[in-house]
Amino acid sequence: MDNRLKISPPLYLIGQKIFCWRCDSKMSVIALLAPHIEDTENQVCVLSDIVELPKEVLLYIQKRVPTFKRRYSKMAGKKYFCNTCPKCGVMSGDFFLHSEPGAPFFPTEEEEAKSLYITEIPLSGSITAKASLCLGTGDLILENAKKI
Ligand SMILES: [Zn+2]
């Protein structure tokens, strides 16, 4: 599902380092977390399959993690912003990073959530983005991720 989301601040960047599934290099993977999205009753949501982002947000992310790029995903059947390996360039699709319990952005216990960092992205006001939402794991991340 692709939603046009209206997001009120704060918006958080979350991430960690994993090993590339193809070449085993260390790579950064990131996602966005938002506690105030319209029509979600203030559930803390993790965004995945991000198709559109405001320029200011994208610039903030890519300055820190330049390997976050728009790519075509065969599996998703569309272009979206995804995490790519700095060495071999292969993408680690959001399906693998978000969908299975225990995946980098689907922690199921405090210890897993603690391996993520979290930092607030400065916003001048509400923004809109086009992305999918993952519910249910955001609170655990917000409470346990390492603030930087
Ligand atoms: Zn690689």
Side-chain angles (χ1 to χ4, degrees):
M1 53 165 189
D2 266 348
N3 297 321
R4 192 164 291 278
L5 309 168
K6 186 160 185 236
I7 301 169
S8 298
L11 176 67
Y12 296 100
L13 179 69
I14 57 174
Q16 63 172 297
K17 302 242 179 185
I18 64 168
F19 291 97
C20 172
W21 59 268
R22 189 160 78 183
C23 77
D24 216 29
S25 297
K26 243 187 174 176
M27 62 175 281
S28 298
V29 290
I30 62 100
L32 297 176
L33 182 143
H36 302 298
I37 301 180
E38 199 172 66
D39 298 327
T40 62
E41 289 156 358
N42 288 328
Q43 292 195 68
V44 183
C45 300
V46 178
L47 274 59
S48 70
D49 293 45
I50 299 167
V51 176
E52 278 175 37
L53 272 182
K55 209 173 177 185
E56 52 169 340
V57 176
L58 192 59
L59 285 174
Y60 180 93
I61 297 170
Q62 287 181 331
K63 214 168 127 187
R64 284 153 186 81
V65 185
T67 47
F68 186 68
K69 291 175 179 169
R70 190 172 4 219
R71 285 278 182 83
Y72 179 76
S73 159
K74 245 187 203 167
M75 191 161 190
K78 65 184 175 193
K79 276 188 169 180
Y80 70 93
F81 287 100
C82 61
N83 294 287
T84 64
C85 172
K87 192 160 180 211
C88 77
V90 75
M91 66 187 278
S92 281
D94 276 359
F95 180 81
F96 300 103
L97 299 175
H98 289 262
S99 300
E100 294 284 321
F105 298 117
F106 195 157
T108 55
E109 51 187 75
E110 285 182 17
E111 280 311 308
E112 288 173 353
K114 277 179 186 161
S115 59
L116 291 164
Y117 67 80
I118 185 166
T119 190
E120 188 174 344
I121 301 174
L123 295 182
S124 44
S126 295
I127 61 160
T128 57
K130 210 169 158 190
S132 297
L133 294 179
C134 310
L135 300 174
T137 192
D139 284 308
L140 193 64
I141 296 174
L142 200 53
E143 279 160 29
N144 294 290
K146 201 175 343 132
K147 290 177 183 64
I148 58 165

